[in-house]
Amino acid sequence: MKKMPLFSKSHKNPAEIVKILKDNLAILEKQDKKTDKASEEVSKSLQAMKEILCGTNEKEPPTEAVAQLAQELYSSGLLVTLIADLQLIDFEGKKDVTQIFNNILRRQIGTRSPTVEYISAHPHILFMLLKGYEAPQIALRCGIMLRECIRHEPLAKIILFSNQFRDFFKYVELSTFDIASDAFATFKDLLTRHKVLVADFLEQNYDTLLGELILDRHNFAIMTKYISKPENLKLMMNLLRDKSPNIQFEAFHVFKVFVASPHKTQPIVEILLKNQPKLIEFLSSFQKERTDDEQFADEKNYLIKQIRDLKKTAP
């Protein structure tokens, strides 16, 4: 059997695949009678695209074709269209879009990440993904793509410092549990993955952010979830020792919620017990220069007492 060339009659080249996909998505957008055929064409094109990017069991992805496809995705605006039309694509197709998006996002040329650069120049892509949490059929897919974006510091920075960042507060409260949990996982990723970036963000926004997130009564559900996680307590304990006195002070306000909570989870109790002597010693001399702040002194003494009184619970 004769070996087929890279792009034979049955294997369309990237430019053709992108054109067919765009044309058929446009038909799906109109929502008229031709959608069944268009839906089939969209599925086939996504499969073909996935094959170029990921290769098959028999062969590695062809470098030249991958570069060509990436370029076509950027120049045609298809990357944006795929997210904008995600709800119109069938279940398997949604999975393919996620895989294509994450694969092209990870692609590097030397030290450059072309898709990260493209999204940085078209940040509305990030906000479309974030808004995906409002649409149940695509929320979890958008969450997967958003977390992949957050792995890249320039993209995480855009979200963190945007007005849309505050939308997380409503998404983590959504009534659909799996969507709210997914939004929380993304939110946590955003606030823990890039330590220096997050420290900078927190220094500028800590008072408003934590006031809104943790200490506001309306966010009781978020607070309860947040203070049940040992990794969040560890983060706050590290921030208590931050070089910025402001960050230390704001971290103290969150740390006190962990300690004062009457419903501590077992992992939280274990961390506090393990560090009991160190914490008592640390808090005793913590920000001693705040001599004129009586409330702070009272809260510190209260926490020291709470930590001192902690006992191992019988198994």
Side-chain angles (χ1 to χ4, degrees):
M1 199 173 144
K2 197 166 75 151
K3 198 175 177 211
M4 282 186 169
L6 184 57
F7 302 121
S8 64
K9 287 269 181 274
S10 61
H11 284 67
K12 294 179 172 60
N13 68 41
E16 289 170 322
I17 295 169
V18 166
K19 185 177 182 330
I20 292 167
L21 195 44
K22 273 207 90 160
D23 292 349
N24 284 284
L25 282 169
I27 295 168
L28 287 187
E29 284 169 18
K30 289 195 190 98
Q31 292 285 292
D32 59 17
K33 294 185 179 63
K34 299 179 195 154
T35 54
D36 281 358
K37 176 86 177 84
S39 195
E40 199 180 309
E41 286 297 328
V42 166
S43 296
K44 284 199 308 208
S45 301
L46 287 170
Q47 281 290 333
M49 203 178 271
K50 203 167 78 169
E51 198 169 304
I52 292 175
L53 282 176
C54 310
T56 59
N57 293 337
E58 293 83 50
K59 59 176 191 286
E60 285 286 298
T63 315
E64 195 183 322
V66 171
Q68 204 182 332
L69 178 58
Q71 203 45 54
E72 289 290 338
L73 277 168
Y74 309 146
S75 59
S76 68
L78 182 62
L79 204 60
V80 179
T81 312
L82 282 171
I83 295 163
D85 291 347
L86 197 56
Q87 295 199 62
L88 305 174
I89 299 171
D90 66 19
F91 180 75
E92 284 304 318
K94 286 186 181 75
K95 286 189 351 195
D96 289 341
V97 169
T98 309
Q99 209 174 334
I100 289 163
F101 182 90
N102 286 0
N103 187 295
I104 205 111
L105 190 55
R106 289 180 198 134
R107 180 172 167 263
Q108 284 189 293
I109 302 172
T111 55
R112 281 183 55 228
S113 298
T115 310
V116 174
E117 291 168 15
Y118 178 78
I119 296 174
S120 295
H122 301 81
H124 63 289
I125 292 174
L126 296 168
F127 305 131
M128 284 163 71
L129 289 172
L130 183 57
K131 206 166 173 52
Y133 278 125
E134 295 173 22
Q137 320 87 297
I138 60 169
L140 301 182
R141 291 277 139 213
C142 287
I144 293 169
M145 291 185 271
L146 202 50
R147 283 191 293 281
E148 191 63 43
C149 290
I150 287 166
R151 291 166 70 102
H152 303 275
E153 192 164 339
L155 304 185
K157 185 175 184 175
I158 291 170
I159 301 171
L160 264 180
F161 288 93
S162 70
N163 293 330
Q164 289 89 332
F165 172 76
R166 293 184 177 281
D167 292 343
F168 273 109
F169 299 138
K170 65 179 185 209
Y171 298 149
V172 297
E173 291 268 16
L174 287 168
S175 54
T176 313
F177 179 74
D178 57 344
I179 297 176
S181 299
D182 194 276
F184 192 80
T186 307
F187 181 68
K188 189 187 128 201
D189 229 16
L190 192 55
L191 284 177
T192 52
R193 186 172 279 279
H194 306 285
K195 300 284 187 274
V196 177
L197 171 68
V198 170
D200 182 34
F201 168 75
L202 292 178
E203 183 146 28
Q204 293 179 43
N205 299 279
Y206 227 120
D207 48 349
T208 52
L209 171 67
L210 285 165
E212 191 159 348
L213 175 61
I214 301 290
L215 308 173
D216 184 332
R217 289 180 189 284
H218 297 298
N219 288 325
F220 186 73
I222 308 179
M223 181 195 78
T224 309
K225 196 181 239 184
Y226 188 89
I227 63 168
S228 68
K229 300 278 195 303
E231 60 270 27
N232 296 334
L233 173 58
K234 287 176 188 167
L235 176 67
M236 285 307 135
M237 284 164 64
N238 285 331
L239 288 174
L240 282 171
R241 294 198 299 271
D242 193 271
K243 61 179 185 297
S244 156
N246 289 345
I247 286 193
Q248 290 176 7
F249 187 60
E250 296 299 342
F252 172 80
H253 286 307
V254 182
F255 174 73
K256 72 185 181 193
V257 184
F258 284 95
V259 177
S261 166
H263 307 295
K264 295 182 207 39
T265 59
Q266 195 51 40
I268 297 293
V269 173
E270 280 165 13
I271 291 172
L272 292 172
L273 278 169
K274 188 177 169 190
N275 295 282
Q276 198 174 32
K278 280 188 199 156
L279 279 169
I280 292 168
E281 187 186 344
F282 175 80
L283 288 170
S284 302
S285 57
F286 180 65
Q287 296 210 350
K288 271 192 163 158
E289 64 281 4
R290 282 184 189 271
T291 46
D292 54 347
D293 190 338
E294 280 182 32
Q295 187 185 344
F296 173 65
D298 290 346
E299 286 178 349
K300 236 171 48 159
N301 292 334
Y302 173 75
L303 292 189
I304 290 168
K305 182 182 181 322
Q306 289 286 315
I307 294 168
R308 190 174 281 134
D309 292 349
L310 271 177
K311 300 275 189 299
K312 283 192 172 64
T313 50

